[in-house]
C-alpha cells in the first residue's frame, strides 16, 4: 500500500512554455501533499504544502504565481511551472501524507524537468 | 546553523564493513525523525523511523539523543546494494507535517 505516482517522469521543454506535473496517491487518500525540488548534489527543498480544497502554502522564496498548485481531490495534486526557464530545470518530487504514524510521507518517483 | 546537518561523506567501505552516519538537528521541538535512502536520480524511500529508545531493523540500527539533538544510523555487514545516499529527516516547524531533509551522506560499498 501507500503508492504515489507522478507523471510525467521526464519532460524537456523550451523556455517560456508551461509544464504540468501530476501527483496521485493510488491506494489511499492523502490529506496533505507536498512538492519538493532537488538540484544536483543538493537536499530536497520543500516548495509548498497543499491540502485538498484549499490554497497551497508556499515556502519562503518560492513564487506562487510561477509554481501553481491545484489540489482538487484527496488523490490528486498538480504543479504547473509557468513560463519555465533554464534555471527551473530540476528534479521535482511530490509526496503524500496520511497523517498516520508520525508524519510519514510517501514519495512519488519524481519528474525530471529540463528547460532548454 | 542549518536545520539538519549530516556528515559530508562520501563513505567508501568494503563489503561486510560496519558504517555509522551522524546527523544533528537545530529545532529542539522536533518530534519525528527518519532515515531515508535515495538512489541516484530516484525518489527518497523511507528506511526507518527513529524512536527515542533506539530501534533496529535487521542490519540497521537508529539512535536518537534528544539532549544533544543528534541522530545516528549504523549499518552492519554492508552489502553492495546498500550503496546510496542516506538522508536524515526531521519534521518541520509547521503543523502540516512537512519534513526537513539533510543534504545526505553518500555511501559506496565496494566488493
Amino acid at each position: 500500500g501507500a503508492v504515489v505516482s507522478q507523471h510525467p517522469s521526464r519532460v524537456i521543454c523550451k523556455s517560456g512554455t508551461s509544464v504540468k506535473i501530476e501527483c496521485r496517491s493510488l491506494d489511499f487518500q492523502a490529506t496533505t501533499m507536498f512538492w519538493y525540488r532537488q538540484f544536483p548534489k543538493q537536499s530536497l527543498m520543500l516548495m509548498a504544502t497543499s491540502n485538498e480544497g484549499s490554497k497551497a502554502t508556499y515556502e519562503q522564496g518560492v513564487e506562487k504565481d510561477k509554481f501553481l498548485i491545484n489540489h482538487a481531490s484527496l488523490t490528486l495534486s498538480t504543479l504547473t511551472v509557468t513560463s519555465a526557464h533554464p534555471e527551473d530545470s530540476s528534479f521535482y518530487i511530490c509526496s503524500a501524507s496520511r497523517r498516520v504514524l508520525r508524519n510519514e510521507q510517501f514519495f512519488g518517483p519524481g519528474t525530471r524537468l529540463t528547460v532548454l | 546553523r542549518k536545520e539538519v546537518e549530516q556528515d559530508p561523506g562520501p563513505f567508501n567501505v568494503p563489503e561486510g564493513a560496519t558504517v555509522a552516519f551522524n546527523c544533528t538537528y537545530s529545532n529542539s521541538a522536533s518530534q519525528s525523525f527518519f532515515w531515508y535512502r535515495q538512489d541516484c536520480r530516484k525518489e527518497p524511500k523511507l528506511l526507518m523511523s527513529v524512536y527515542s529508545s533506539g530501534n533496529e531493523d535487521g542490519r540497521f540500527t537508529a539512535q536518537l539523543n534528544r539532549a544533544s539533538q543528534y541522530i545516528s544510523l549504523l549499518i552492519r555487514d554492508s552489502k553492495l546494494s546498500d550503496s546510496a545516499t542516506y538522508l536524515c529527516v526531521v519534521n518541520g516547524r509547521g503543523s502540516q507535517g512537512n519534513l526537513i531533509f539533510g543534504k545526505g551522506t553518500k555511501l559506496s560499498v565496494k566488493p
Side-chain angles (χ1 to χ4, degrees):
Chain A
V3 177
V4 176
S5 72
Q6 220 175 305
H7 178 79
S9 59
R10 188 179 187 97
V11 60
I12 300 172
C13 68
K14 292 181 179 179
S15 187
T17 58
S18 292
V19 176
K20 180 187 279 190
I21 303 170
E22 290 188 353
C23 177
R24 292 181 186 273
S25 56
L26 298 184
D27 52 0
F28 67 100
Q29 291 188 327
T31 53
T32 307
M33 286 185 169
F34 303 87
W35 287 96
Y36 296 85
R37 181 168 54 180
Q38 187 177 33
F39 293 106
K41 300 188 188 301
Q42 299 296 315
S43 58
L44 271 75
M45 296 299 295
L46 180 66
M47 299 175 67
T49 302
S50 128
N51 292 293
E52 183 261 342
S54 63
K55 289 184 178 180
T57 303
Y58 289 82
E59 295 299 299
Q60 194 172 8
V62 178
E63 299 174 56
K64 62 181 181 181
D65 295 329
K66 181 170 180 64
F67 299 99
L68 302 178
I69 292 173
N70 186 339
H71 194 155
S73 75
L74 283 171
T75 59
L76 172 65
S77 177
T78 61
L79 167 69
T80 301
V81 183
T82 62
S83 187
H85 288 94
E87 58 266 30
D88 298 324
S89 299
S90 187
F91 191 43
Y92 291 85
I93 309 175
C94 73
S95 72
S97 170
R98 292 182 294 192
R99 300 305 297 276
V100 173
L101 296 179
R102 303 158 54 101
N103 299 333
E104 186 175 354
Q105 292 183 21
F106 303 94
F107 285 83
T111 297
R112 194 160 298 280
L113 171 64
T114 303
V115 185
L116 303 176
Chain B
R1 182 184 176 184
K2 291 182 181 175
E3 292 194 75
V4 179
E5 291 202 70
Q6 295 185 241
D7 281 346
F11 284 49
N12 298 306
V13 303
E15 267 187 294
T18 296
V19 60
F21 300 139
N22 303 315
C23 170
T24 56
Y25 60 96
S26 62
N27 181 10
S28 59
S30 295
Q31 294 294 322
S32 302
F33 310 92
F34 309 92
W35 283 101
Y36 277 75
R37 168 194 170 130
Q38 187 174 24
D39 292 284
C40 188
R41 302 173 79 84
K42 299 284 188 182
E43 78 277 20
K45 291 187 187 296
L46 179 65
L47 181 65
M48 59 196 303
S49 300
V50 186
Y51 301 115
S52 296
S53 55
N55 49 300
E56 187 175 306
D57 182 1
R59 297 181 293 110
F60 300 85
T61 301
Q63 297 279 353
L64 169 65
N65 183 323
R66 285 187 185 272
S68 303
Q69 295 176 210
Y70 170 92
I71 307 163
S72 67
L73 176 69
L74 185 76
I75 305 176
R76 291 181 298 278
D77 189 22
S78 300
K79 312 289 185 190
L80 296 177
S81 57
D82 293 333
S83 297
T85 296
Y86 290 82
L87 308 174
C88 177
V89 183
V90 176
N91 68 288
R93 296 175 189 268
S95 61
Q96 300 195 73
N98 61 301
L99 300 176
I100 307 296
F101 285 79
K103 282 185 72 172
T105 302
K106 188 172 181 180
L107 172 65
S108 181
V109 182
K110 306 290 187 184

